[in-house]
Amino acid sequence: MSTIIQIKNISKVYGKTHVLKDVNLEIKKGEIIALLGPNGAGKTTLISIICGLVNKSAGSVIIDGFDNATNFRKAREKVGLVPQELHLAMFDKVVNTLHYSRGLFGKKRNEKHINELIEKLHLSDKKNQEIRSLSGGMKRRVLIAKALAHQPKILFLDEPTAGVDVELRKSTWNLVKQLRQSGVTIILTTHYIEEAESIADRIGIINKGKLILVDDKKTLMKRLGKKHIQINLANPIEEMPQKLKDLSLELSEDKINLYYHFKDKKEYQNIPLILQTIKDCGLNINELNTSKSSLEDIFVDIVNDEY
Amino acid sequence: MMSINIYAIRAIYKAEMRRFWVTIGQSIISPVISTSLYFIVFGSAIGSRIQQVEGVDYGTFIVPGMMIFTLLTQSVSNASFGIFHQKFTGTIYEVLSAPISSTEILIGFVGASASKSFIIGTIILITSTFFVDLHIQSPFIMFAFFILTCVSFSLFGFIIGLWADNFEKIQVIPMLVITPLVFLGGSFYSIDMLPPMWRDISLFNPALYLVSGFRWSFFGISDVNISLSLMFISLFLLICIFIVWRIFATGYKLRS
Ligand SMILES: Nc1ncnc2c1ncn2[C@@H]1O[C@H](COP(=O)(O)OP(=O)(O)OP(=O)(O)O)[C@@H](O)[C@H]1O
Ligand SMILES: [Mg+2]
């Protein structure tokens, strides 16, 4: 897959604070990439630099072959941005604000496209209403429609589902998937790990201004995801026999469960031996449970490692 | 390659003008009422005592000054509010992320503000004809002054809007600077009517050159030479262009 956005050595300094530190990232054409990171990590700043809202302190951004500083017209006309905050002209009518957005990006007026967008984002009955009379979720849909008004090839969504109900969240995900199918490249930030897990192809993790990891979602989960077995004993034990300790089992605080964490095949093959050893120690097993770490666990692990 | 994003200029212009058209009743009625009030207060009350200034009926005499006063306050407050409002509400993100040059942003905002002022000025002019007889001596110069004033003070307002980071700042300039300058700049009198000391002080008031020049285009009478007035307004426009050019070159207060 070819590269559509190339971010090279981007840094941003506000006064003395380094908000972004030497960020490098290649975004592939047609992918959905999710940027995860705690509050204040620098996600919005990175997006703002790519879209031209914030001046970078160092580095360069190439969008579809055009430098976003020296050739800003060509670079920007391909990009749509849905900002994190609900920045809307509250007294404008929905339909007018969409025509306005399209015009700003240098495209000729197109009633048909705007009407289709209004329909797609379930705003038909609000078309001629002032934006201030819409609910928060509807306003967010207006923002998305505005970003799509000029038919961009690249779409940035900065926390598109913050404060949005489950149904709207799911429908936003569907929209994102549809857009990807029509060839749009999507970069989104989110705090909902399940969001990244369910729609992204790749995941980037930003912490304290550094892009600490970018990987394919599946590889990431495979590489870092751990599996766990919980062995529930029939009776609590005072202390874990040395033999079991040697097999790196852990005893829970209530002394009734044993845990075994494993990652690769070699560790996996130890399981029969573990079960046999438990039996040899004269312990009875009540129940066995297995589980897999979610992206959320992985994320927490990585971010905590940084501290 | 030189390209202009004409659709963007049009989009900004239209969005700015929309506010004006939405409140069209208000937009027309308020200048009509204030013009009428000026005629009643200044024209009738004072005019009954002054009657004529340099051969012109007092009621007629105040028309150019009244227009300049309204053009200045309207241009400055409209243009400063337009851009400031976008900064204040955050909606400016869209303009900043769009393929638009700073000059195009400026043309959209300043163009809309100047158009509004022009419309309001025209309404005042028309309203005046209901009260007094108006003969414009040099329509061409009058028109040039009219347009130049709308444009340059809208540009000035745009600069204020860029610079301001709170509502007080955009209210203070029209109220504390423009109003006293224009009132003391001979809008409603000729500085010849003042004691010599005040007359000399008035010569330092930039608004005097505007009012005087505009009045000359109507009646052929003026406090200062017409070419001086034209030079003043052109110089003012150039200074504003220079400031705005510096602001854009440094990205001052638009992009952090
Ligand atoms: N204009 C500014 N001036 C100074 N500091 C700023 C400015 N904008 C952002 N910052 C700082 O930059 C850091 C990164 O902010 P940013 O908004 O990019 O974080 P984020 O990852 O988007 O966080 P969140 O998840 O809360 O949206 C924060 O510490 C913030 O305080
Ligand atoms: Mg953010």
Side-chain angles (χ1 to χ4, degrees), chain A residues 38-45 47 84-85 158-159 189 191:
Chain A
N39 286 134
K43 304 178 295 295
T44 300
T45 308
I47 288 183
Q84 182 171 359
E85 313 279 340
D158 200 353
E159 297 191 27
T189 72
H191 287 284

Side-chain angles (χ1 to χ4, degrees), chain A residues 30-97:
Chain A
E31 73 171 336
I32 299 179
I33 181 164
L35 298 175
L36 294 172
N39 286 134
K43 304 178 295 295
T44 300
T45 308
L46 180 62
I47 288 183
S48 302
I49 287 175
I50 303 171
C51 295
L53 305 183
V54 168
N55 292 324
K56 55 203 167 230
S57 305
S60 67
V61 176
I62 312 287
I63 301 173
D64 207 15
F66 300 101
D67 188 298
N68 84 336
T70 55
N71 215 332
F72 73 95
R73 275 187 213 271
K74 290 266 187 241
R76 285 189 207 159
E77 72 192 12
K78 301 179 171 81
V79 177
L81 165 67
V82 181
Q84 182 171 359
E85 313 279 340
L86 295 173
H87 295 313
L88 286 161
M90 295 297 168
F91 292 90
D92 275 1
K93 286 183 184 163
V94 171
V95 60
N96 290 340
T97 201

Side-chain angles (χ1 to χ4, degrees), chain B residues 96-112:
Chain B
L96 295 181
S97 68
I100 318 175
S101 69
S102 305
T103 313
E104 286 157 354
I105 298 178
L106 180 141
I107 294 173
F109 277 104
V110 172

Side-chain angles (χ1 to χ4, degrees), chain A residues 32 120-122 170-184 186 199:
Chain A
I32 299 179
K120 209 183 225 172
L121 284 142
H122 311 289
K170 293 271 155 66
S171 83
T172 308
W173 293 355
N174 280 335
L175 179 73
V176 167
K177 286 174 186 163
Q178 269 176 41
L179 285 168
R180 197 255 305 263
Q181 249 155 35
S182 67
V184 178
I186 290 148
I199 58 176

